[in-house]
């Protein structure tokens, strides 16, 4: 049999290219440490030709954002008959579309924040819901293009009027759920432990907080009452299954346990391609469960398949 040859897909051309390159290099190094022969592939439009030439045993997908995370590259890999990591075509496509994913989660009994889809110009004219609320692109990852409208905002964000607004004409306006930021990974069909993200006071957990070493602190296990802890883990698995995810996913939650809060616990979204660097959330959860980074990579490669 010899050493398995793993092609690590990274880079690509979405706005999340830098994140993907970080993930890809970290995963490739850990895969080599785990004993695989590894080829790093900076993905271009010729990815099918490159992979047909390389003929790897397994494709490790470290792409983030549109094309890499939304079912497109998964479809290419299905056509090539190459086993790959993470979720398949449908789950990837569904999870990437925040509005459709919410419909499916809601139907599965998972609490989600109230939201509405509208043209960005209509959203820019007047408040479409009582502030505070959040305006999100329907299909971007990593908090790109997210606008938070505070309770005292006199009008909606005016950048929605911009001629060069890059995030699509239809946006999602979602009720802002105050409270604690929680995230829970699912590995196979098992929930990992929950991390609470603690940011500097008043900071939204944005792109910089996610990817800078002095960003948000990871508190694991999250300090929650046992029944809340188990509920979050149960909902993460339920979301993973409802969307049809495979391999590893990560669900993000908000929990409002302030003395005068609503007590709301909502699932914000499911990530089918969670970040995979040394400072990333899922590797942190795995480490807490006694699974080091190379062992996590090995599990993902051995879990890879087609028809996911």
């Amino acid at each position: 049999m010899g050493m398995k040859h793993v092609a690590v897909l990274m880079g690509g051309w979405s706005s999340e290219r830098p994140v993907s390159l970080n993930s890809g290099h970290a995963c490739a190094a850990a895969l080599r440490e785990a004993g695989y022969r590894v080829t790093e592939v900076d993905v271009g439009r010729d990815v099918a030709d490159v992979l047909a030439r390389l003929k790897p045993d397994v494709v490790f997908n470290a792409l983030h954002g549109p094309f890499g995370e939304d079912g497109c590259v998964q479809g290419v890999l299905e056509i090539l008959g190459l086993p790959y990591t993470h979720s398949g075509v449908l789950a990837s496509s569904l999870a990437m579309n925040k509005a459709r994913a919410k419909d499916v989660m809601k139907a599965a009994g998972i609490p989600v924040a109230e939201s509405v889809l509208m043209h960005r110009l209509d959203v820019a004219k007047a408040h479409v819901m009582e502030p505070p609320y959040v305006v999100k692109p329907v299909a971007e990852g990593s908090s790109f293009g997210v606008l938070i409208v505070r309770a005292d905002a006199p009008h909606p964000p005016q950048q929605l009027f911009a001629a060069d607004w890059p995030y699509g004409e239809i946006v999602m306006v979602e009720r802002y759920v105050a409270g604690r930021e929680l995230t829970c990974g699912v590995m196979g069909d098992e929930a990992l432990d929950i991390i609470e993200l603690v940011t500097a006071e008043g900071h939204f957990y944005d792109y910089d907080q996610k990817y800078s070493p002095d960003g948000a602190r990871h508190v694991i296990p999250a300090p929650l009452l046992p029944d809340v802890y188990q509920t979050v883990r149960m909902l993460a698995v339920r979301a993973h299954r409802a969307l049809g995810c495979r391999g590893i996913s990560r669900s993000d939650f908000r929990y409002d346990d302030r003395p005068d809060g609503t007590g709301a616990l909502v699932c914000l979204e499911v990530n089918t391609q969670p970040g995979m660097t040394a400072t990333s959330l899922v590797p942190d959860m795995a480490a807490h469960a006694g699974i080091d980074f190379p062992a996590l990579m090995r599990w993902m490669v051995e879990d890879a398949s087609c028809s996911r």
Side-chain angles (χ1 to χ4, degrees):
M1 171 74 198
M3 202 189 276
K4 253 189 198 169
H5 180 200
V6 181
V8 180
L9 303 187
M10 61 177 93
W13 55 85
S14 84
S15 48
E16 296 192 60
R17 175 179 169 79
V19 183
S20 171
L21 288 171
N22 284 346
S23 273
H25 293 315
C27 292
L31 285 163
R32 287 189 184 103
E33 203 179 320
Y36 296 102
R37 183 158 78 84
V38 177
T39 306
E40 296 177 33
V41 179
D42 187 344
V43 172
R45 302 272 178 188
D46 61 346
V47 63
D49 299 340
V50 171
L51 288 171
R53 272 203 313 276
L54 278 177
K55 298 187 177 57
D57 299 307
V58 173
V59 171
F60 190 103
N61 183 7
L63 292 164
H64 295 298
F67 180 75
E69 194 167 348
D70 61 5
C72 290
V73 80
Q74 289 79 4
V76 171
L77 297 170
E78 291 287 349
I79 291 166
L80 293 171
L82 293 172
Y84 57 95
T85 58
H86 300 80
S87 292
V89 177
L90 178 61
S92 301
S93 180
L94 194 49
M96 193 68 178
N97 185 308
K98 293 185 177 84
R100 294 282 178 268
K102 274 176 116 166
D103 292 343
V104 172
M105 290 196 283
K106 203 171 175 178
I110 297 160
V112 295
E114 175 204 344
S115 61
V116 49
L117 288 182
M118 293 186 72
H119 195 283
R120 67 181 174 101
L121 298 177
D122 294 329
V123 174
K125 283 175 199 150
H127 288 311
V128 297
M129 66 172 68
E130 191 71 27
Y133 59 84
V134 185
V135 182
K136 299 177 169 179
V138 180
E140 281 281 336
S142 274
S143 320
F144 283 108
V146 174
L147 306 169
I148 295 202
V149 182
R150 311 226 173 249
D152 55 2
H155 51 70
Q158 296 306 284
Q159 55 264 62
L160 287 164
F161 279 125
D164 58 355
W165 170 260
Y167 302 115
E169 296 306 288
I170 303 297
V171 295
M172 184 163 82
V173 182
E174 180 179 79
R175 184 155 310 294
Y176 178 78
V177 180
R180 298 162 66 178
E181 192 107 25
L182 308 171
T183 186
C184 181
V186 174
M187 183 172 174
D189 244 359
E190 301 279 317
L192 294 165
D193 272 298
I194 302 166
I195 288 179
E196 177 171 11
L197 296 153
V198 181
T199 55
E201 199 49 51
H203 283 293
F204 166 55
Y205 183 59
D206 60 7
Y207 188 81
D208 291 332
Q209 294 275 348
K210 276 185 186 158
Y211 300 115
S212 67
D214 55 351
R217 271 191 312 123
H218 297 182
V219 182
I220 183 167
L224 299 165
L225 292 169
D227 60 325
V228 178
Y229 203 92
Q230 291 316 325
T231 300
V232 171
R233 293 181 73 232
M234 178 270 291
L235 289 173
V237 172
R238 190 185 286 181
H240 180 91
R241 287 183 181 153
L243 296 174
C245 300
R246 290 284 300 270
I248 281 183
S249 74
R250 198 192 81 227
S251 295
D252 298 339
F253 296 85
R254 269 293 170 84
Y255 176 45
D256 186 2
D257 66 344
R258 300 169 303 166
D260 58 342
T262 59
L265 170 66
V266 302
C267 183
L268 295 174
E269 64 175 328
V270 175
N271 303 282
T272 54
Q273 295 281 128
M276 287 284 163
T277 63
T279 62
S280 295
L281 295 157
V282 169
D284 215 1
M285 293 169 196
H288 188 75
I291 305 163
D292 68 15
F293 198 38
L296 177 63
M297 295 297 108
R298 187 180 303 115
W299 184 90
M300 292 173 77
V301 165
E302 298 308 325
D303 175 70
S305 74
C306 283
S307 316
R308 295 172 75 75

